[in-house]
């Protein structure tokens, strides 16, 4: 059976969401640290644009597939809603919104994998 790229894509998305969740947790943990600068990861769409999934070469007449780049999520300074007198840029409200977005990303990712898995199982049973 050939490799199914949807599973690779969802694995990369899960890795990205894990990095983002860890970054948000670090921001919240340092909410009272003077001069702490909040961070965030680049959007998954940017990561996806750098990821080149390739098609399998099933015939000698087909073009050669290019290699896929490894996923990496860059942590960058985040735009903050507020800056405290101590120079801290962590807004707990903003971090909670980002945490909810990340939770939604995990839920979507799980739903896509579950649905695709059911579809693969159904096709194998009917074969």
């Amino acid at each position: 059976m050939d490799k199914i790229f949807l599973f690779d894509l969802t694995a990369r998305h899960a890795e990205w969401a894990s990095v983002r969740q860890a970054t948000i947790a670090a921001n919240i943990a340092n909410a009272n640290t003077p001069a702490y600068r909040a961070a965030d990861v680049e959007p998954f769409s940017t990561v996806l644009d750098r990821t080149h999934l390739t098609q399998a070469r099933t015939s000698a007449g087909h073009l050669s597939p290019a290699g896929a780049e490894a996923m990496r999520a860059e942590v960058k300074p985040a735009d903050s809603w507020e800056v405290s007198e101590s120079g801290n840029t962590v807004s707990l409200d903003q971090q909670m919104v980002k945490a909810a977005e990340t939770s939604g990303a995990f839920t979507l990712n799980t739903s896509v994998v579950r649905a695709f898995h059911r579809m693969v199982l159904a096709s194998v049973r009917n074969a």
Side-chain angles (χ1 to χ4, degrees):
M1 184 171 186
D2 291 335
K3 183 176 180 178
I4 300 173
F5 287 112
L6 181 66
F7 290 133
D8 185 42
L9 179 63
T10 55
R12 290 171 190 252
H13 187 257
E15 290 174 20
W16 171 85
S18 295
V19 170
R20 187 162 197 230
Q21 186 178 39
T23 304
I24 292 166
N27 288 342
I28 292 171
N30 288 292
N32 292 327
T33 304
Y36 181 81
R37 308 300 292 176
D40 198 0
V41 297
E42 61 189 345
F44 185 68
S45 59
T46 305
V47 175
L48 190 58
D49 287 344
R50 281 198 318 266
T51 303
H52 302 287
L53 298 177
T54 60
Q55 296 179 350
R57 185 175 182 189
T58 58
S59 171
H62 293 170
L63 296 175
S64 297
E69 294 179 16
M71 193 218 62
R72 60 185 236 279
E74 295 181 14
V75 177
K76 61 181 180 71
D79 296 328
S80 181
W81 289 354
E82 59 189 45
V83 177
S84 68
E85 291 181 21
S86 68
N88 187 309
T89 63
V90 176
S91 165
L92 291 178
D93 293 334
Q94 184 181 29
Q95 297 306 311
M96 296 311 289
V97 168
K98 290 179 182 182
E101 290 171 357
T102 305
S103 176
F106 274 117
T107 302
L108 175 64
N109 197 30
T110 303
S111 297
V112 167
V113 170
R114 185 179 299 126
F116 192 69
H117 184 256
R118 281 193 307 254
M119 184 175 64
V120 169
L121 286 178
S123 67
V124 169
R125 286 185 197 132
N126 294 332

